Amino acid sequence: MCQMIIGQEANYVSGTVLSAYSKGPISEGVITLEGSNNSLKPDKEGFFKLPVITRGSFILNITVPGFMPKRIPVFFEGDDIALGTIFLEQDIERDKIDNLGTLTDAEFSDEDDTMIAAGLLQATRDIFLKRAAFDFGQAFFRVRGYDSRNGTVMINGISMNKLFDGRPQWNNWGGLNDVTRNQNYTNGLHASEYTFGGILGNTNLDTRPSGLRPGFRFSVSASNRTYTGRAMATYTSPKQKNGLTYSVSTSRRWAKEGYIDGTLYDAYSVFGALEFEIDSKNSLMATAIMASNRRGRSSAITEDVQDLVGNRYNPYWGYQNGEIRNSRERKIAEPILMVNHYYETDKFNLNTGISYQSGIHSKSRLGYYNAPNPDPTYYRYLPSFYINSPIGANFVSADWAKQGFLANPQMDWEAIYTANAAEKASYVLYDDVVEDQQLVLNSVGNIQFSENMKLDVGLNFKQLQSDNYAKIVDLFGAEYHEDIDPFSNTANNLDGNTNRQENEIFNYNYELTANQWNAFVQLGFTRKKWSGFVAANYLGTEYQRNGLFRNERYVDDSFGEGPAVDFSNFGYKGGVSYQITGRHWIRLNGGVIERPPVLQNTFINPRENNGIVSNLQSEMVSSIDFNYFLRLPKLTGRLTGFYTRFQNTTDVNYFFVDAGVGSDFVQEVITDLDKLHMGAELGLEYEVSPAVKLSAVAAVGKYLYASDPNININFDTAGVEEELINIEGAIDLGIAKIKDYKLAQGPQKAYALGIEYRDPKYWWVGATANYLADNHANISMITRTRSFYLDPETGLPFPDATDENVARLLKQSPMDNFYLLNLVGGKTWLRKGKYISVFASINNVFDTVFKTGGYEQSRNGNYGQLKQDNLSGNPSFATKYWYGYGRTYFLNIAYSF
């Protein structure tokens, strides 16, 4: 829709956009005068007529999904300009997005709490964001250090971010690249016509069949990353005379084992969309998406383990009857049904939709009850346990442990079956299951009051019913599992049968409900050289837990509905742009956004009780960014500075700790936590010739903890034989001294130099050299409290636990910096209207070993124990790391007509 004022006399630039291959009109995409808000879509014949009121030199930018963008210099002297026919070439890099899928599929941690946001960036042409997605993404770089919760992902205008953790679940539409290519992306705080959005940016996936290229496309891929093979087929019909258009797509991805040992991959996806054009203004669309994904998971490991068995090692799997079996599998199958109504005129657009999603997300694990830990990397099985013994190092036993581990580094399934020969199971394979049902109602309107003022309004309602339970998968030959907590000898469900069978629910069973109301309004304006927007958002949220088991450890607070938790939050943002000339402009954005804590961080221990985090607060996000844009005929670029502060954040963690106040399995509640993100981004692209492009990208960030948060630990008190920390079941440890520690948000510095050659005969190659630095592991909070100074035997501080000694022991060290070289290339052919393309990439050409992230273990929660464990320089509870992929490849062959 045009966004140009007509209060002044306007001239026009016009033309007709056609495909260079089919010679047919192109009616999709956006035509923009760079540096202004002047933009529109071509009509059904490919014709456009864009008003211009400012004399001078400009770049006309034509961007259409699936085609190479075209930048045309134009100079206005007061007369209309007719450009005639403009032919767009097929984008032979489009298969690069398929390659990105193998990167975003990579699982960074067990809880996905650091999922990267690379998928958000695939729609952009910004060179910095392209490098962040396609090159830095393999090292789990995050744009501005932001979590993906800070970006909004929509399908046909309906938000896909989960209420549980605020993040989009990309697996819900994984493998459907052909029908999710049409994307609208807004970066950072900039205005989006679909949503108020987040500070990372917003992406809308448009699956309307009328916007997809008609015809058939089939592709096959081979890789050695998360999956080894993929096949995909898509058909989109031409528009029928009765106004119907439809699209269907399916894909299959598989691997017996991915790059990391023992990581199977088994996924299939099916998509169908039917669009009916009622008349020139109204259309209806129904969309169905089913994406099922099953994969073997991997674990972070210590440097000691990596030195012994390498960076591809994974302790979760072992051979059973000659076949790989992984004890920790993740399964996701959450189909989506969606109906949209579109009303579109020159002055008013309205998109109203309803979405229903249900299904399961499960994670398996191996439980052990009064039996040895089956994990081959359990600290007592490794050499460091004998070297760090409090009674003195035993190097003979350490060597025996080393040889034993090297001889049998994997899960021993045969031993597990042998141990379960009795009636009662010692080992149980079970699934932690989340079974969600979510209803979303959404309506967004875009009103063009005049050509210098536009209003966007939106209403959204989201309702979640989430069933959470553990389900027995395999008893390994035993007849039953006794559903008793082995540490406290208490029943997990007083009202049920203690002896549980396969496929029965045990351990925990509860419901979470969430309701959220969201409304936003956004006003955009354009003047001669100025443009800007202001936006406001209201968010109302309600959470509640309903326990379905009466847990003996929390008899009075586990069964039935707990209290509801309510939040009312407001957010405000705005931005202004100034066009210095047609080729230089600046933009300033700022926002103050209040938001509720996510459902994940509201309840202390939802598996066992209704307890809510005390003094739970809404989070406050304050952010500002300043941007300079350069758009010369040969050189384009962006320079951005940003500053963001997160305040009053909350986090809940679970682990066993030997703290200064005692030992127990605890729930660690972190409140009043502030974080600071600041830095700069630079992206430059220079066209040496029509065939050669050079690029340079840099990101320099500083991501810190900006406060000393409060730490509270919670634990059960039901164990009659346990030595309790206290009888209240909770203790306030006070503040954790973490201010100015680095955040574990991926590399805080990243640089890239790239070169690309594009031959007129439709083949291309490219290389990117990348340098990533200043990455840190996640710190243990409890070791930064005063409890760390206390001797648990006496309750008094350790004599040598001075501030200097503690600071030396807890010093945060960065991971090693590293270089990565990536190569890409492709070739296309057009034969009698049939299009064939080949795309290939090699990442990490020199097979560099590098860490992508990690976390400090919290087991040694007191000074004396941590000091003793570190004396040898090879601690038993050292920091655990995830390692990036070595040299990997991706090959895709596509055929379309």
Side-chain angles (χ1 to χ4, degrees):
M1 181 177 292
C2 179
Q3 299 183 26
M4 192 62 204
I5 66 172
I6 56 175
Q8 306 173 61
E9 184 177 353
N11 296 108
Y12 294 89
V13 56
S14 61
T16 302
V17 184
L18 303 180
S19 168
Y21 290 140
S22 67
K23 303 301 187 288
I26 297 175
S27 59
E28 293 301 315
V30 178
I31 300 170
T32 308
L33 279 180
E34 293 182 352
S36 74
N37 277 359
N38 310 29
S39 63
L40 49 72
K41 293 175 63 175
D43 64 20
K44 296 178 180 179
E45 302 303 320
F47 179 76
F48 67 91
K49 188 176 182 181
L50 188 66
V52 185
I53 62 166
T54 305
R55 297 190 180 194
S57 178
F58 296 88
I59 302 291
L60 183 75
N61 187 306
I62 304 174
T63 302
V64 180
F67 292 87
M68 289 297 300
K70 180 154 287 193
R71 303 176 69 244
I72 304 172
V74 291
F75 186 78
F76 291 97
E77 294 182 311
D79 297 320
D80 293 345
I81 297 178
L83 298 175
T85 301
I86 303 169
F87 290 102
L88 296 188
E89 303 285 352
Q90 196 82 22
D91 185 0
I92 59 179
E93 283 193 63
R94 63 180 300 189
D95 295 320
K96 198 171 183 179
I97 293 177
D98 296 345
N99 178 44
L100 179 62
T102 68
L103 300 177
T104 55
D105 272 341
E107 184 178 38
F108 182 67
S109 75
D110 273 358
E111 302 304 326
D112 294 331
D113 59 354
T114 48
M115 184 179 289
I116 58 174
L120 278 167
L121 310 177
Q122 57 184 283
T124 180
R125 291 285 179 180
D126 182 283
I127 187 62
F128 175 85
L129 296 177
K130 285 173 65 177
R131 289 286 175 262
F134 295 104
D135 292 285
F136 301 158
Q138 64 188 306
F140 294 90
F141 171 83
R142 303 185 192 185
V143 174
R144 303 183 188 179
Y146 297 156
D147 184 272
S148 60
R149 177 193 175 192
N150 294 293
T152 301
V153 176
M154 298 156 283
I155 297 180
N156 301 322
I158 297 177
S159 172
M160 293 289 108
N161 292 57
K162 298 286 189 179
L163 286 171
F164 179 71
D165 58 9
R167 304 180 180 101
Q169 178 53 263
W170 288 92
N171 289 288
N172 288 159
W173 54 91
L176 296 172
N177 308 53
D178 287 347
V179 291
T180 57
R181 294 183 188 275
N182 286 350
Q183 301 183 14
N184 179 279
Y185 174 76
T186 54
N187 186 32
L189 286 165
H190 196 54
S192 167
E193 63 183 27
Y194 302 98
T195 180
F196 180 83
I199 60 172
L200 175 60
N202 311 287
T203 297
N204 182 56
L205 313 181
D206 187 348
T207 67
R208 296 174 71 172
S210 61
L212 299 174
R213 179 184 175 188
F216 177 83
R217 186 175 192 266
F218 177 75
S219 65
V220 291
S221 306
S223 179
N224 66 337
R225 295 172 187 166
T226 51
Y227 55 77
T228 56
R230 185 190 67 185
M232 188 186 315
T234 302
Y235 176 74
T236 299
S237 73
K239 184 178 178 181
Q240 310 294 313
K241 292 182 179 180
N242 59 7
L244 284 175
T245 313
Y246 67 90
S247 182
V248 292
S249 184
T250 185
S251 76
R252 179 84 168 82
R253 292 167 290 165
W254 65 91
K256 286 187 177 181
E257 190 174 36
Y259 183 84
I260 302 298
D261 293 342
T263 53
L264 67 90
Y265 198 99
D266 182 16
Y268 69 86
S269 305
V270 180
F271 168 92
L274 178 66
E275 184 178 5
F276 174 55
E277 186 178 281
I278 302 171
D279 54 37
S280 61
K281 298 178 181 178
N282 293 275
S283 61
L284 282 172
M285 182 176 68
T287 305
I289 300 173
M290 172 60 187
S292 174
N293 186 296
R294 171 178 168 243
R295 61 181 301 175
R297 296 158 65 198
S298 61
S299 172
I301 56 177
T302 63
E303 288 183 312
D304 183 26
V305 172
Q306 193 271 338
D307 289 341
L308 289 173
V309 285
N311 60 309
R312 300 174 74 157
Y313 173 72
N314 176 18
Y316 289 158
W317 71 278
Y319 284 105
Q320 181 180 336
N321 298 325
E323 297 290 329
I324 291 173
R325 184 177 185 182
N326 194 312
S327 65
R328 298 211 180 189
E329 291 186 2
R330 184 178 70 177
K331 301 174 186 176
I332 300 175
E334 298 176 307
I336 303 169
L337 297 175
M338 188 179 296
V339 177
N340 290 80
H341 170 260
Y342 297 92
Y343 177 82
E344 297 173 315
T345 69
D346 290 339
K347 296 293 183 181
F348 178 58
N349 291 339
L350 181 67
N351 175 6
T352 301
I354 179 171
S355 171
Y356 176 75
Q357 183 177 19
S358 66
I360 66 165
H361 182 177
S362 68
K363 296 178 180 179
S364 67
R365 65 176 58 240
L366 188 60
Y368 55 99
Y369 304 88
N370 298 314
N373 191 325
D375 181 358
T377 61
Y378 181 53
Y379 77 101
R380 289 179 176 268
Y381 305 156
L382 297 176
S384 57
F385 172 72
Y386 299 96
I387 295 174
N388 298 319
S389 172
I391 62 174
N394 187 332
F395 293 101
V396 174
S397 295
D399 187 63
W400 286 347
K402 176 181 177 181
Q403 299 307 319
F405 176 70
L406 291 174
N408 298 285
Q410 301 305 145
M411 188 78 67
D412 189 345
W413 291 108
E414 183 178 345
I416 289 170
Y417 275 93
T418 300
N420 271 27
E423 291 184 358
K424 187 173 77 170
S426 297
Y427 295 95
V428 175
L429 185 70
Y430 65 93
D431 281 343
D432 290 314
V433 181
V434 178
E435 190 172 343
D436 284 351
Q437 298 180 71
Q438 182 170 275
L439 176 69
V440 183
L441 305 176
N442 187 75
S443 187
V444 176
N446 314 114
I447 308 167
Q448 195 80 33
F449 288 123
S450 64
E451 293 203 10
N452 70 323
M453 187 171 292
K454 180 185 178 183
L455 183 70
D456 303 308
V457 294
L459 296 171
N460 178 279
F461 171 71
K462 188 178 290 188
Q463 183 180 71
L464 172 68
Q465 169 77 34
S466 180
D467 298 327
N468 298 256
Y469 54 87
K471 185 177 182 180
I472 297 175
V473 175
D474 194 345
L475 290 175
F476 303 109
E479 294 186 10
Y480 67 90
H481 166 65
E482 187 178 37
D483 195 16
I484 298 290
D485 176 61
F487 300 102
S488 61
N489 197 33
T490 55
N492 291 320
N493 182 19
L494 287 171
D495 300 331
N497 185 354
T498 301
N499 295 342
R500 311 303 290 167
Q501 313 295 323
E502 288 182 2
N503 297 316
E504 290 187 337
I505 295 174
F506 81 115
N507 198 7
Y508 64 91
N509 189 8
Y510 65 96
E511 298 172 344
L512 293 175
T513 58
N515 296 297
Q516 192 170 82
W517 303 264
N518 187 8
F520 86 94
V521 59
Q522 179 172 270
L523 182 66
F525 61 90
T526 303
R527 306 301 297 175
K528 186 173 181 179
K529 285 182 173 286
W530 295 87
S531 63
F533 75 96
V534 290
N537 183 69
Y538 169 76
L539 191 63
T541 308
E542 179 184 83
Y543 301 142
Q544 190 171 31
R545 179 190 183 272
N546 179 32
L548 302 178
F549 277 5
R550 191 184 308 277
N551 190 297
E552 189 175 359
R553 296 179 293 286
Y554 301 94
V555 175
D556 299 324
D557 194 32
S558 55
F559 185 78
E561 292 185 348
V565 188
D566 301 291
F567 301 92
S568 292
N569 303 115
F570 294 89
Y572 308 94
K573 69 175 184 177
V576 61
S577 298
Y578 176 70
Q579 188 180 64
I580 302 170
T581 69
R583 297 179 178 181
H584 305 266
W585 71 94
I586 55 176
R587 179 190 296 159
L588 176 68
N589 298 310
V592 178
I593 303 170
E594 191 182 38
R595 63 186 186 186
V598 292
L599 190 55
Q600 181 181 37
N601 293 329
T602 297
F603 298 95
I604 298 172
N605 185 14
R607 291 185 176 182
E608 297 188 346
N609 60 62
N610 288 323
I612 298 168
V613 171
S614 299
N615 302 316
L616 191 61
Q617 303 179 73
S618 294
E619 300 175 5
M620 183 68 72
V621 184
S622 306
S623 185
I624 188 170
D625 63 64
F626 180 80
N627 306 268
Y628 163 70
F629 297 90
L630 174 67
R631 292 294 185 269
L632 302 177
K634 296 278 189 181
L635 178 66
T636 62
R638 172 174 65 88
L639 175 63
T640 296
F642 62 91
Y643 178 96
T644 301
R645 191 178 184 97
F646 299 87
Q647 295 174 277
N648 305 325
T649 66
T650 302
D651 196 14
V652 181
N653 302 304
Y654 309 89
F655 51 84
F656 186 89
V657 63
D658 294 319
V661 294
S663 302
D664 210 333
F665 185 86
V666 301
Q667 300 88 48
E668 177 190 61
V669 179
I670 305 166
T671 54
D672 297 319
L673 176 62
D674 294 359
K675 303 174 184 179
L676 177 64
H677 296 237
M678 59 188 297
E681 302 168 344
L682 173 67
L684 295 171
E685 193 168 38
Y686 180 69
E687 186 177 295
V688 179
S689 70
V692 179
K693 279 186 180 179
L694 302 177
S695 62
V697 161
V700 179
K702 188 177 183 181
Y703 316 139
L704 306 169
Y705 289 107
S707 70
D708 292 327
N710 194 77
I711 308 297
N712 189 287
I713 57 172
N714 297 260
F715 39 87
D716 73 75
T717 59
V720 293
E721 298 180 358
E722 287 185 288
E723 185 176 339
L724 301 178
I725 294 178
N726 67 26
I727 61 173
E728 287 80 19
I731 185 169
D732 186 350
L733 299 181
I735 64 169
K737 300 289 287 185
I738 65 166
K739 187 177 180 182
D740 294 331
Y741 273 85
K742 295 288 186 75
L743 290 168
Q745 295 296 108
Q748 301 195 17
K749 295 179 176 62
Y751 308 91
L753 293 174
I755 183 170
E756 177 186 300
Y757 174 78
R758 185 179 298 271
D759 194 86
K761 294 183 178 180
Y762 302 108
W763 63 269
W764 65 283
V765 293
T768 309
N770 309 278
Y771 178 71
L772 296 109
D774 201 18
N775 194 5
H776 293 78
N778 201 19
I779 63 171
S780 166
M781 295 285 185
I782 199 169
T783 59
R784 273 78 180 178
T785 65
R786 292 302 302 178
S787 164
F788 183 73
Y789 288 75
L790 302 180
D791 185 339
E793 299 296 328
T794 65
L796 300 174
F798 288 97
D800 58 338
T802 63
D803 289 343
E804 293 77 13
N805 287 341
V806 168
R808 189 180 304 112
L809 190 60
L810 298 177
K811 182 181 179 181
Q812 189 180 29
S813 299
M815 302 176 205
D816 292 338
N817 305 334
F818 55 93
Y819 296 90
L820 296 175
L821 177 66
N822 300 329
L823 304 177
V824 295
K827 168 69 175 165
T828 61
W829 297 266
L830 182 66
R831 296 289 186 270
K832 298 180 180 179
K834 296 177 174 60
Y835 181 74
I836 303 170
S837 67
V838 176
F839 171 85
S841 72
I842 301 175
N843 280 12
N844 191 1
V845 172
F846 297 120
D847 203 24
T848 301
V849 175
F850 63 96
K851 299 166 185 170
T852 58
Y855 61 91
E856 295 178 357
Q857 298 191 72
S858 294
R859 175 64 179 266
N860 291 325
N862 67 78
Y863 173 81
Q865 197 163 304
L866 185 61
K867 177 187 174 183
Q868 174 66 38
D869 196 29
N870 279 270
L871 285 177
S872 70
N874 188 20
S876 298
F877 293 98
T879 300
K880 286 193 171 184
Y881 297 102
W882 285 274
Y883 288 83
Y885 293 168
R887 185 186 302 111
T888 59
Y889 69 89
F890 178 79
L891 174 66
N892 187 79
I893 302 173
Y895 175 71
S896 58
F897 58 90

